[in-house]
Short mmCIF file of all heavy atoms in Angstrom, two decimals:
data_model
loop_
_atom_site.label_atom_id
_atom_site.label_comp_id
_atom_site.label_asym_id
_atom_site.label_seq_id
_atom_site.Cartn_x
_atom_site.Cartn_y
_atom_site.Cartn_z
N ALA A 144 12.01 16.79 3.24
CA ALA A 144 11.09 17.22 4.29
C ALA A 144 11.38 16.38 5.51
O ALA A 144 11.81 15.24 5.41
CB ALA A 144 9.63 17.05 3.86
N SER A 145 11.16 16.93 6.65
CA SER A 145 11.29 16.16 7.88
C SER A 145 10.38 16.77 8.92
O SER A 145 9.94 17.90 8.80
CB SER A 145 12.75 16.14 8.34
OG SER A 145 13.20 17.46 8.56
N ARG A 146 10.11 15.98 9.94
CA ARG A 146 9.19 16.43 10.98
C ARG A 146 9.81 16.13 12.33
O ARG A 146 10.51 15.15 12.50
CB ARG A 146 7.86 15.69 10.86
CG ARG A 146 7.16 16.01 9.56
CD ARG A 146 5.87 15.22 9.45
NE ARG A 146 5.22 15.57 8.23
CZ ARG A 146 4.35 16.55 8.07
NH1 ARG A 146 4.01 17.29 9.08
NH2 ARG A 146 3.82 16.80 6.92
N ASP A 147 9.51 16.99 13.30
CA ASP A 147 9.97 16.67 14.63
C ASP A 147 8.90 15.83 15.33
O ASP A 147 7.85 15.55 14.76
CB ASP A 147 10.29 17.95 15.42
CG ASP A 147 9.09 18.86 15.62
OD1 ASP A 147 7.94 18.39 15.55
OD2 ASP A 147 9.31 20.04 15.87
N ALA A 148 9.17 15.38 16.55
CA ALA A 148 8.25 14.47 17.24
C ALA A 148 6.87 15.07 17.45
O ALA A 148 5.88 14.36 17.53
CB ALA A 148 8.86 14.05 18.58
N SER A 149 6.77 16.38 17.52
CA SER A 149 5.47 17.00 17.73
C SER A 149 4.67 17.13 16.44
O SER A 149 3.52 17.54 16.46
CB SER A 149 5.65 18.40 18.35
OG SER A 149 6.27 19.25 17.41
N GLY A 150 5.27 16.78 15.31
CA GLY A 150 4.56 16.86 14.04
C GLY A 150 4.77 18.18 13.32
O GLY A 150 4.26 18.37 12.23
N GLY A 151 5.53 19.11 13.91
CA GLY A 151 5.77 20.38 13.26
C GLY A 151 6.68 20.22 12.06
O GLY A 151 7.61 19.42 12.07
N VAL A 152 6.44 20.96 11.03
CA VAL A 152 7.26 20.86 9.83
C VAL A 152 8.53 21.67 10.01
O VAL A 152 8.49 22.84 10.33
CB VAL A 152 6.46 21.35 8.60
CG1 VAL A 152 7.35 21.35 7.36
CG2 VAL A 152 5.23 20.51 8.39
N LEU A 153 9.67 21.00 9.80
CA LEU A 153 10.95 21.70 9.88
C LEU A 153 11.33 22.28 8.52
O LEU A 153 11.94 23.32 8.43
CB LEU A 153 12.04 20.74 10.36
CG LEU A 153 11.82 20.12 11.74
CD1 LEU A 153 12.90 19.10 12.03
CD2 LEU A 153 11.81 21.20 12.80
N SER A 154 11.00 21.55 7.47
CA SER A 154 11.29 21.99 6.11
C SER A 154 10.26 21.35 5.21
O SER A 154 10.11 20.14 5.23
CB SER A 154 12.69 21.54 5.69
OG SER A 154 12.88 21.79 4.32
N ALA A 155 9.52 22.11 4.45
CA ALA A 155 8.42 21.54 3.67
C ALA A 155 8.46 21.93 2.21
O ALA A 155 7.44 22.09 1.58
CB ALA A 155 7.09 21.95 4.29
N ALA A 156 9.65 22.10 1.66
CA ALA A 156 9.75 22.48 0.25
C ALA A 156 9.10 21.43 -0.64
O ALA A 156 8.39 21.75 -1.58
CB ALA A 156 11.22 22.66 -0.13
N ASN A 157 9.35 20.16 -0.39
CA ASN A 157 8.76 19.05 -1.12
C ASN A 157 8.31 18.01 -0.11
O ASN A 157 9.13 17.21 0.34
CB ASN A 157 9.77 18.42 -2.09
CG ASN A 157 10.11 19.34 -3.23
OD1 ASN A 157 9.23 19.82 -3.92
ND2 ASN A 157 11.39 19.59 -3.42
N PRO A 158 7.05 17.99 0.28
CA PRO A 158 6.61 17.05 1.30
C PRO A 158 6.81 15.60 0.83
O PRO A 158 6.80 15.32 -0.36
CB PRO A 158 5.13 17.38 1.50
CG PRO A 158 4.74 18.14 0.29
CD PRO A 158 5.97 18.80 -0.24
N LEU A 159 7.03 14.72 1.79
CA LEU A 159 7.20 13.31 1.49
C LEU A 159 5.82 12.72 1.18
O LEU A 159 4.98 12.63 2.05
CB LEU A 159 7.85 12.60 2.66
CG LEU A 159 9.26 13.06 3.00
CD1 LEU A 159 9.79 12.33 4.22
CD2 LEU A 159 10.19 12.86 1.82
N VAL A 160 5.63 12.35 -0.07
CA VAL A 160 4.36 11.79 -0.51
C VAL A 160 4.64 10.71 -1.55
O VAL A 160 5.74 10.61 -2.09
CB VAL A 160 3.42 12.85 -1.14
CG1 VAL A 160 2.99 13.88 -0.12
CG2 VAL A 160 4.06 13.50 -2.34
N PHE A 161 3.61 9.93 -1.83
CA PHE A 161 3.65 9.02 -2.96
C PHE A 161 3.02 9.77 -4.12
O PHE A 161 1.87 10.17 -4.05
CB PHE A 161 2.86 7.75 -2.67
CG PHE A 161 3.49 6.86 -1.64
CD1 PHE A 161 3.05 6.86 -0.33
CD2 PHE A 161 4.55 6.03 -1.99
CE1 PHE A 161 3.63 6.04 0.61
CE2 PHE A 161 5.14 5.21 -1.04
CZ PHE A 161 4.68 5.21 0.26
N THR A 162 3.78 9.99 -5.19
CA THR A 162 3.21 10.68 -6.35
C THR A 162 2.25 9.77 -7.10
O THR A 162 1.37 10.25 -7.80
CB THR A 162 4.31 11.20 -7.29
OG1 THR A 162 5.13 10.10 -7.70
CG2 THR A 162 5.17 12.25 -6.60
N THR A 163 2.43 8.46 -6.98
CA THR A 163 1.48 7.47 -7.48
C THR A 163 1.17 6.55 -6.32
O THR A 163 2.08 6.08 -5.63
CB THR A 163 2.08 6.64 -8.64
OG1 THR A 163 2.45 7.53 -9.69
CG2 THR A 163 1.09 5.62 -9.16
N LYS A 164 -0.10 6.27 -6.09
CA LYS A 164 -0.54 5.38 -5.01
C LYS A 164 -1.86 4.73 -5.43
O LYS A 164 -2.92 5.09 -4.95
CB LYS A 164 -0.65 6.13 -3.69
CG LYS A 164 -1.54 7.36 -3.79
CD LYS A 164 -1.44 8.21 -2.56
CE LYS A 164 -2.36 9.40 -2.60
NZ LYS A 164 -2.46 10.14 -3.83
N ILE A 165 -1.76 3.77 -6.33
CA ILE A 165 -2.94 3.13 -6.93
C ILE A 165 -3.13 1.75 -6.33
O ILE A 165 -2.18 0.99 -6.17
CB ILE A 165 -2.77 3.02 -8.46
CG1 ILE A 165 -2.61 4.41 -9.08
CG2 ILE A 165 -3.95 2.28 -9.08
CD1 ILE A 165 -2.17 4.39 -10.54
N ILE A 166 -4.38 1.42 -6.03
CA ILE A 166 -4.73 0.08 -5.57
C ILE A 166 -5.86 -0.43 -6.45
O ILE A 166 -6.74 0.33 -6.83
CB ILE A 166 -5.10 0.08 -4.06
CG1 ILE A 166 -5.19 -1.34 -3.53
CG2 ILE A 166 -6.35 0.90 -3.79
CD1 ILE A 166 -5.14 -1.42 -2.01
N HIS A 167 -5.78 -1.71 -6.81
CA HIS A 167 -6.73 -2.30 -7.76
C HIS A 167 -7.02 -3.73 -7.34
O HIS A 167 -6.15 -4.40 -6.79
CB HIS A 167 -6.11 -2.27 -9.17
CG HIS A 167 -6.94 -2.93 -10.20
ND1 HIS A 167 -8.08 -2.36 -10.72
CD2 HIS A 167 -6.80 -4.12 -10.82
CE1 HIS A 167 -8.60 -3.19 -11.61
NE2 HIS A 167 -7.84 -4.26 -11.69
N GLU A 168 -8.22 -4.19 -7.61
CA GLU A 168 -8.58 -5.58 -7.29
C GLU A 168 -8.91 -6.36 -8.55
O GLU A 168 -9.26 -5.77 -9.57
CB GLU A 168 -9.75 -5.62 -6.32
CG GLU A 168 -11.06 -5.11 -6.87
CD GLU A 168 -12.16 -5.08 -5.82
OE1 GLU A 168 -12.10 -5.84 -4.84
OE2 GLU A 168 -13.07 -4.27 -5.98
N SER A 169 -8.82 -7.68 -8.45
CA SER A 169 -9.04 -8.53 -9.62
C SER A 169 -10.49 -8.97 -9.77
O SER A 169 -10.92 -9.30 -10.88
CB SER A 169 -8.14 -9.76 -9.58
OG SER A 169 -8.46 -10.57 -8.44
N THR A 170 -11.25 -9.00 -8.68
CA THR A 170 -12.63 -9.51 -8.76
C THR A 170 -13.49 -8.95 -7.64
O THR A 170 -12.98 -8.57 -6.58
CB THR A 170 -12.65 -11.05 -8.70
OG1 THR A 170 -14.00 -11.51 -8.87
CG2 THR A 170 -12.11 -11.58 -7.37
N ARG A 171 -14.79 -8.91 -7.90
CA ARG A 171 -15.77 -8.53 -6.88
C ARG A 171 -16.73 -9.69 -6.59
O ARG A 171 -17.80 -9.50 -6.03
CB ARG A 171 -16.55 -7.29 -7.32
CG ARG A 171 -15.64 -6.07 -7.31
CD ARG A 171 -16.40 -4.79 -7.57
NE ARG A 171 -15.46 -3.69 -7.50
CZ ARG A 171 -15.66 -2.60 -6.78
NH1 ARG A 171 -16.76 -2.44 -6.11
NH2 ARG A 171 -14.76 -1.66 -6.75
N VAL A 172 -16.33 -10.90 -6.96
CA VAL A 172 -17.15 -12.09 -6.73
C VAL A 172 -17.11 -12.45 -5.25
O VAL A 172 -16.04 -12.47 -4.63
CB VAL A 172 -16.66 -13.27 -7.61
CG1 VAL A 172 -17.38 -14.56 -7.25
CG2 VAL A 172 -16.85 -12.93 -9.08
N ASN A 173 -18.27 -12.76 -4.69
CA ASN A 173 -18.37 -13.16 -3.29
C ASN A 173 -17.44 -14.32 -2.97
O ASN A 173 -17.33 -15.27 -3.75
CB ASN A 173 -19.80 -13.59 -2.95
CG ASN A 173 -20.71 -12.42 -2.67
OD1 ASN A 173 -20.25 -11.33 -2.37
ND2 ASN A 173 -22.01 -12.64 -2.75
N ARG A 174 -16.78 -14.24 -1.84
CA ARG A 174 -15.90 -15.29 -1.29
C ARG A 174 -14.73 -15.65 -2.19
O ARG A 174 -14.01 -16.61 -1.94
CB ARG A 174 -16.70 -16.55 -0.94
CG ARG A 174 -17.71 -16.33 0.16
CD ARG A 174 -18.39 -17.63 0.53
NE ARG A 174 -19.07 -18.23 -0.59
CZ ARG A 174 -20.38 -18.24 -0.79
NH1 ARG A 174 -21.16 -17.66 0.09
NH2 ARG A 174 -20.91 -18.81 -1.83
N ALA A 175 -14.51 -14.93 -3.27
CA ALA A 175 -13.42 -15.25 -4.20
C ALA A 175 -12.07 -14.82 -3.63
O ALA A 175 -11.98 -13.92 -2.81
CB ALA A 175 -13.65 -14.55 -5.53
N ILE A 176 -11.03 -15.49 -4.13
CA ILE A 176 -9.67 -15.03 -3.85
C ILE A 176 -9.45 -13.81 -4.74
O ILE A 176 -9.59 -13.87 -5.95
CB ILE A 176 -8.63 -16.12 -4.20
CG1 ILE A 176 -8.90 -17.41 -3.42
CG2 ILE A 176 -7.21 -15.59 -3.97
CD1 ILE A 176 -8.59 -17.32 -1.96
N ASN A 177 -9.11 -12.70 -4.14
CA ASN A 177 -9.00 -11.42 -4.82
C ASN A 177 -7.54 -10.98 -4.83
O ASN A 177 -6.93 -10.82 -3.77
CB ASN A 177 -9.87 -10.40 -4.07
CG ASN A 177 -10.12 -9.14 -4.85
OD1 ASN A 177 -9.47 -8.87 -5.85
ND2 ASN A 177 -11.06 -8.35 -4.37
N THR A 178 -6.97 -10.82 -6.00
CA THR A 178 -5.60 -10.32 -6.10
C THR A 178 -5.63 -8.80 -6.03
O THR A 178 -6.24 -8.14 -6.87
CB THR A 178 -4.92 -10.77 -7.41
OG1 THR A 178 -4.91 -12.20 -7.43
CG2 THR A 178 -3.49 -10.25 -7.50
N ILE A 179 -4.99 -8.26 -5.01
CA ILE A 179 -4.91 -6.81 -4.81
C ILE A 179 -3.55 -6.37 -5.35
O ILE A 179 -2.51 -6.86 -4.93
CB ILE A 179 -5.01 -6.45 -3.31
CG1 ILE A 179 -6.23 -7.11 -2.65
CG2 ILE A 179 -4.99 -4.94 -3.12
CD1 ILE A 179 -7.56 -6.68 -3.18
N THR A 180 -3.56 -5.44 -6.31
CA THR A 180 -2.32 -4.94 -6.90
C THR A 180 -2.13 -3.49 -6.48
O THR A 180 -3.06 -2.68 -6.55
CB THR A 180 -2.37 -5.05 -8.44
OG1 THR A 180 -2.58 -6.42 -8.78
CG2 THR A 180 -1.08 -4.56 -9.07
N VAL A 181 -0.92 -3.17 -6.05
CA VAL A 181 -0.58 -1.84 -5.57
C VAL A 181 0.56 -1.28 -6.42
O VAL A 181 1.54 -1.98 -6.68
CB VAL A 181 -0.16 -1.89 -4.08
CG1 VAL A 181 0.30 -0.52 -3.59
CG2 VAL A 181 -1.30 -2.42 -3.22
N THR A 182 0.41 -0.04 -6.85
CA THR A 182 1.47 0.67 -7.58
C THR A 182 1.81 1.93 -6.79
O THR A 182 0.93 2.75 -6.52
CB THR A 182 1.00 1.05 -9.01
OG1 THR A 182 0.60 -0.13 -9.69
CG2 THR A 182 2.11 1.74 -9.78
N LEU A 183 3.08 2.06 -6.42
CA LEU A 183 3.54 3.21 -5.64
C LEU A 183 4.72 3.87 -6.34
O LEU A 183 5.53 3.21 -6.98
CB LEU A 183 4.01 2.76 -4.25
CG LEU A 183 2.99 2.06 -3.37
CD1 LEU A 183 3.67 1.56 -2.09
CD2 LEU A 183 1.84 2.99 -3.05
N ASN A 184 4.80 5.19 -6.19
CA ASN A 184 5.95 5.94 -6.67
C ASN A 184 6.27 6.98 -5.60
O ASN A 184 5.59 8.00 -5.51
CB ASN A 184 5.65 6.59 -8.01
CG ASN A 184 6.88 7.21 -8.64
OD1 ASN A 184 7.85 7.52 -7.97
ND2 ASN A 184 6.82 7.40 -9.94
N PRO A 185 7.27 6.71 -4.76
CA PRO A 185 7.59 7.67 -3.70
C PRO A 185 8.40 8.85 -4.23
O PRO A 185 9.25 8.69 -5.10
CB PRO A 185 8.43 6.85 -2.72
CG PRO A 185 9.06 5.80 -3.56
CD PRO A 185 8.09 5.51 -4.69
N ARG A 186 8.12 10.03 -3.72
CA ARG A 186 8.88 11.23 -4.11
C ARG A 186 10.30 11.18 -3.54
O ARG A 186 11.22 11.75 -4.10
CB ARG A 186 8.17 12.49 -3.62
CG ARG A 186 8.91 13.76 -4.04
CD ARG A 186 8.18 15.00 -3.65
NE ARG A 186 7.12 15.24 -4.63
CZ ARG A 186 6.12 16.08 -4.44
NH1 ARG A 186 6.03 16.75 -3.32
NH2 ARG A 186 5.20 16.25 -5.36
N SER A 187 10.46 10.48 -2.42
CA SER A 187 11.77 10.35 -1.78
C SER A 187 12.04 8.86 -1.57
O SER A 187 11.11 8.08 -1.38
CB SER A 187 11.75 11.08 -0.44
OG SER A 187 12.98 10.96 0.22
N THR A 188 13.30 8.46 -1.61
CA THR A 188 13.66 7.06 -1.40
C THR A 188 13.20 6.59 -0.03
O THR A 188 13.39 7.29 0.97
CB THR A 188 15.18 6.87 -1.54
OG1 THR A 188 15.55 7.22 -2.87
CG2 THR A 188 15.60 5.44 -1.24
N ILE A 189 12.63 5.41 0.00
CA ILE A 189 12.23 4.78 1.26
C ILE A 189 13.28 3.72 1.56
O ILE A 189 13.43 2.76 0.81
CB ILE A 189 10.82 4.18 1.16
CG1 ILE A 189 9.81 5.28 0.83
CG2 ILE A 189 10.45 3.46 2.46
CD1 ILE A 189 8.39 4.80 0.64
N PRO A 190 14.05 3.90 2.65
CA PRO A 190 15.20 3.04 2.91
C PRO A 190 14.84 1.70 3.54
O PRO A 190 13.72 1.50 4.00
CB PRO A 190 16.03 3.88 3.88
CG PRO A 190 15.01 4.64 4.66
CD PRO A 190 13.91 4.95 3.65
N GLU A 191 15.84 0.82 3.57
CA GLU A 191 15.65 -0.48 4.23
C GLU A 191 15.21 -0.26 5.67
O GLU A 191 15.59 0.72 6.31
CB GLU A 191 16.94 -1.29 4.19
CG GLU A 191 18.07 -0.76 5.03
CD GLU A 191 19.31 -1.64 4.96
OE1 GLU A 191 20.05 -1.54 3.96
OE2 GLU A 191 19.52 -2.42 5.90
N GLY A 192 14.36 -1.16 6.13
CA GLY A 192 13.86 -1.09 7.50
C GLY A 192 12.64 -0.20 7.68
O GLY A 192 11.99 -0.24 8.71
N ALA A 193 12.31 0.62 6.68
CA ALA A 193 11.14 1.49 6.78
C ALA A 193 9.87 0.64 6.73
O ALA A 193 9.87 -0.49 6.23
CB ALA A 193 11.14 2.52 5.66
N THR A 194 8.79 1.18 7.23
CA THR A 194 7.51 0.49 7.29
C THR A 194 6.49 1.20 6.43
O THR A 194 6.38 2.42 6.46
CB THR A 194 7.00 0.46 8.75
OG1 THR A 194 7.97 -0.19 9.56
CG2 THR A 194 5.68 -0.25 8.86
N ILE A 195 5.74 0.41 5.66
CA ILE A 195 4.62 0.93 4.87
C ILE A 195 3.37 0.26 5.40
O ILE A 195 3.33 -0.97 5.55
CB ILE A 195 4.82 0.64 3.38
CG1 ILE A 195 6.05 1.40 2.87
CG2 ILE A 195 3.56 1.03 2.58
CD1 ILE A 195 6.43 1.07 1.47
N THR A 196 2.37 1.05 5.70
CA THR A 196 1.13 0.53 6.28
C THR A 196 -0.05 0.85 5.38
O THR A 196 -0.22 2.00 4.97
CB THR A 196 0.90 1.14 7.68
OG1 THR A 196 2.07 0.92 8.47
CG2 THR A 196 -0.30 0.53 8.35
N LEU A 197 -0.85 -0.16 5.07
CA LEU A 197 -2.11 -0.01 4.33
C LEU A 197 -3.23 -0.35 5.29
O LEU A 197 -3.18 -1.39 5.96
CB LEU A 197 -2.16 -0.95 3.12
CG LEU A 197 -1.03 -0.83 2.11
CD1 LEU A 197 -1.15 -1.92 1.06
CD2 LEU A 197 -1.04 0.52 1.45
N THR A 198 -4.24 0.51 5.36
CA THR A 198 -5.36 0.26 6.28
C THR A 198 -6.66 0.09 5.51
O THR A 198 -6.76 0.43 4.34
CB THR A 198 -5.51 1.41 7.30
OG1 THR A 198 -5.76 2.62 6.59
CG2 THR A 198 -4.26 1.57 8.14
N HIS A 199 -7.66 -0.44 6.21
CA HIS A 199 -9.01 -0.70 5.70
C HIS A 199 -9.03 -1.89 4.74
O HIS A 199 -9.80 -1.89 3.79
CB HIS A 199 -9.64 0.54 5.06
CG HIS A 199 -9.77 1.68 6.01
ND1 HIS A 199 -9.61 2.97 5.61
CD2 HIS A 199 -9.99 1.74 7.33
CE1 HIS A 199 -9.75 3.77 6.64
NE2 HIS A 199 -9.99 3.04 7.70
N LEU A 200 -8.20 -2.89 4.99
CA LEU A 200 -8.18 -4.09 4.16
C LEU A 200 -8.87 -5.22 4.92
O LEU A 200 -8.27 -6.23 5.27
CB LEU A 200 -6.74 -4.47 3.80
CG LEU A 200 -6.04 -3.51 2.86
CD1 LEU A 200 -4.58 -3.89 2.71
CD2 LEU A 200 -6.73 -3.49 1.50
N SER A 201 -10.13 -5.04 5.17
CA SER A 201 -10.92 -6.03 5.91
C SER A 201 -11.12 -7.28 5.06
O SER A 201 -11.41 -7.21 3.87
CB SER A 201 -12.28 -5.42 6.26
OG SER A 201 -13.09 -6.39 6.86
#
Side-chain angles (χ1 to χ4, degrees):
S145 59
R146 296 178 179 270
D147 62 22
S149 67
V152 175
L153 299 175
S154 171
N157 291 306
L159 297 177
V160 295
F161 290 101
T162 57
T163 301
K164 54 190 183 318
I165 300 169
I166 191 163
H167 176 75
E168 66 185 335
S169 63
T170 184
R171 290 187 178 230
V172 172
N173 279 341
R174 296 184 301 256
I176 302 289
N177 194 346
T178 300
I179 309 297
T180 302
V181 176
T182 303
L183 301 174
N184 188 338
R186 181 176 280 164
S187 180
T188 297
I189 300 177
E191 68 179 79
T194 301
I195 296 173
T196 306
L197 303 174
T198 60
H199 300 145
L200 291 173
S201 175

